Amino acid sequence: RRLVSLVVPNMNNGPALDVFFRTLERNTTYPDVEVVVVDDGSSDRSLDVLRRWRASGRFAEFTLVERPHTGIVDTLNEALRRVRGELIVRMDGDATVETPGWLERMLRLHDADPAVGVVAGRVVLDSGLVHAYGVNCVCPEGFHDGGTKITEPVGRRTMHGNVERPPEEDVPLAEEPVEVDGAIGCLQLFSADLARDIAALQ
């Protein structure tokens, strides 16, 4: 088995962090993970919560980096310098993982074909509406979240977020993996080598 690094950039997600980590602990059944949290100068109670989780021992490996606020790119690059895993899952501390065994499923998809670069999960809002099943970019309609329907005429769109978000149960999932153009940041799996190659281009 390979070590997978669960990377969580954080800024002022204090109210959601306990729910995030409890859910992550409950639904992560893959044994070889490390948690790497980089706090980007939070001004709420995030650090108290993060230090408590680090001290709890509920995750065997939990690295917490506390740094002044400089933005998400610097925060993710700092996380990349700290990870030890061959694979990385980029997560958000205010988006819970609700599927038991989620990481094994993402790993199977990543390993299914050498052409797979990034694996994205389906993202559903607390309301039960679809946020994104991947992101569509290269299409006549233009950039929009997968699983949604644009509400403006093609060629006269004003904002990518002007879409109809249906209930999750109204958007049947394909039985097979689906290729998408992109993914939103709250749940992505990719190789550490790919991340380092991209970071080197900055």
Side-chain angles (χ1 to χ4, degrees), residues 8-22 37-53 64 92-96:
V8 186
N10 181 75
M11 184 180 174
N12 292 341
N13 285 320
L17 288 173
D18 276 320
V19 174
F20 169 81
F21 282 115
R22 282 196 303 267
V37 182
V38 180
D39 186 81
D40 186 29
S42 289
S43 58
D44 66 355
R45 64 183 192 93
S46 286
L47 287 175
D48 292 336
V49 177
L50 292 169
R51 291 169 186 153
R52 174 166 42 80
W53 273 94
L64 171 60
D92 280 348
D94 61 353
T96 58

Side-chain angles (χ1 to χ4, degrees), residues 63-178:
T63 300
L64 171 60
V65 180
E66 302 178 23
R67 59 194 313 276
H69 174 66
T70 57
I72 186 63
V73 173
D74 289 342
T75 300
L76 289 171
N77 283 336
E78 180 63 29
L80 184 58
R81 285 188 284 273
R82 302 294 183 121
V83 300
R84 296 185 304 106
E86 177 183 335
L87 295 164
I88 294 172
V89 179
R90 190 266 200 241
M91 313 182 84
D92 280 348
D94 61 353
T96 58
V97 176
E98 299 291 337
T99 304
W102 65 277
L103 185 48
E104 288 90 340
R105 293 173 68 175
M106 293 186 84
L107 287 169
R108 280 195 300 273
L109 180 51
H110 181 269
D111 294 343
D113 191 303
V116 175
V118 178
V119 176
R122 60 181 174 155
V123 182
V124 179
L125 300 169
D126 288 344
S127 63
L129 300 180
V130 171
H131 184 146
Y133 292 176
V135 178
N136 297 312
C137 304
V138 185
C139 57
E141 298 83 9
F143 180 92
H144 67 285
D145 296 327
T148 67
K149 181 180 177 183
I150 64 168
T151 57
E152 298 175 311
V154 174
R156 289 184 287 153
R157 295 179 61 203
T158 60
M159 185 175 169
H160 80 271
N162 287 344
V163 294
E164 176 186 319
R165 298 189 182 279
E168 179 184 15
E169 60 269 17
D170 291 352
V171 185
L173 292 174
E175 292 298 318
E176 298 297 322
V178 176

